[in-house]
Amino acid sequence: MEYTFTFSSNNEQLLSIVHPSAENSETGVLVVVGGPQYRVGSHRQFVQLARCLADAGYTTMRFDYTGMGDSSGDKAEFDNIDDDIGAAIDAFMQQQPELKRVVIWGLCDAASAALIYAHQDPRVKGLVILNPWLRSEQAMGKTMLRFYYLQRLFSKNFWRKLIAGKVDVTASVKEVKSFAADSINTGNKSHQASYQERMKKGLQQFNGKLLLILSGNDLTAKEFEQQAFTDKAWQKIESAHCFTERLTDSDHTFSTKKWKRKVEQFTLEFLRSI
Amino acid sequence: MSIQGHFIASTKGRIFVSQFGNSKRDVAVLCLPSIVEELNLSRAVLAKQCQAFAQHGLDSFILDYFGTGDSEGEFEESSFNSWFGDVVSVGEWLQSLGYQKLIVLGVRVGALLLGVNQQKLHAQLPILGQIFWKPITSGKVFASQLIRIKQANQMMSNHSEKVNWRNEILAGNDTEIAGYVITKNFIEEIEAAVISAAIEWQSPVNWLELATQKITPATRKFVEASDVITVHTVHTPAFWQVPEVFDLPELSALGVTITHKLLVEYKWIGE
């Protein structure tokens, strides 16, 4: 029967719900929450998923990371929740000692968080990532340069304003330069690597299996697909250990019964292969 | 400040309750959330309010109605009228833990549920005072907003035929709106739920107008018709509808001030 417990991570209290399977499963599923949602999920997707997986033999846990839902603390950034995920797996395996391995399931920025985390923890044998968040500033920079600034440079209105002295030339040039730089540079940031780089590295170093589920009617999915399937550094996504499923009509959060059941089915098929 | 969860028995099955703080003093706050995506989007803000209560020694609880949140059941198996039973179940459970008085906090539809059951609520539970966050006073307005989402979605997906979704649902054709199955029963019950300005409030009401800088004419009617309503305006974002709002310290602080005042008035604590 479903039960709840609270565990701690860096002195914050994180609330979780466990859906034990009657079948003493050795593989457990940890649902990581993303975006503005909490452990219930948009239109209760995570509750329904967890119940479905538990019924099918896989003990499942959902939790609120720092600052989300009921948990304490200031909301953590999605790419800074390694400690929370690690603490959740510790607590999960302590609570359900029959577990030998864990599959992390995450949608949107939780999928990104899962990719960043998984390779560091040998207990994680599988990942189910749905519509991962992989916004690229370079791509955005390119888009801006092409559609906005170039257009502006060629617009009569811009020149008219320029001649009339209504445009701050220095600022404009600086702005264009910075966007142009963003679109050319390849993440040579001096501080911690960008989350995109960490996702890429995460995939390269992950030894388990991966299931990618993409919605057809979702910009986040499209953006991920455009980058991951064209960039050589992401080529592992097309290897024998990585599977891709597409739901052509689905929106970002799988907001119908039909799509939710499909996601559950894909997840179950994948779990059986672990 | 401790955070714990509980599954407790209610009329249709087990429902989930979050607990913030465990000081076991005489008074606790019981929160009634909104429903569907409003419940999700406002969760962290409500939890932060409860954490603020707990930090001031006031234990507080959030319940999930049957078929919503972490509770058992599905939305389409639940019913607006039966949710009041869940409120009473949790209220009785809190009394069994030793809390002698309760302050209720209703968010949106949660406030509607408190309003339409005002007499029964006070007859069945020891209520000291009430706090409303942007209350819904007409279930019909809420239902039509929900149905409008369906219409907008259909327009965006280029369906040319115009469907009257309300009629469709009332004819018995269950319809998915934003991921929830909406039934005839749900529409009928929520549309019948209305709080009139002439209502006799059974305990002090702190009415919070949110996401606005002034009191709306509709709210003014309620305030003018009663001498137990105190209205407060807080210029917050509409956090129950917009994503990415997790913490509103000003709102939490106001909640703490209101409950403190209630406790002083009722001599549960000193000045």
Side-chain angles (χ1 to χ4, degrees), chain B residues 239-250:
Chain B
F239 58 86
W240 54 93
Q241 282 162 349
V242 300
E244 306 290 343
V245 182
F246 301 97
D247 194 5
L248 294 169
E250 194 195 345

Side-chain angles (χ1 to χ4, degrees), chain B residues 116-166:
Chain B
V116 297
N117 292 290
Q118 192 65 190
Q119 302 277 352
K120 274 199 284 179
L121 174 75
H122 288 77
Q124 295 184 48
L125 296 174
I127 308 290
L128 194 82
Q130 312 175 70
I131 303 169
F132 295 164
W133 280 8
K134 194 74 179 177
I136 285 169
T137 54
S138 158
K140 205 166 186 173
V141 172
F142 186 84
S144 68
Q145 282 168 355
L146 202 59
I147 289 165
R148 227 175 284 152
I149 296 175
K150 181 77 183 174
Q151 271 149 356
N153 275 345
Q154 211 187 17
M155 274 162 64
M156 286 198 299
S157 54
N158 295 326
H159 284 277
S160 51
E161 51 170 334
K162 213 173 176 187
V163 180
N164 183 324
W165 288 103
R166 182 175 173 273

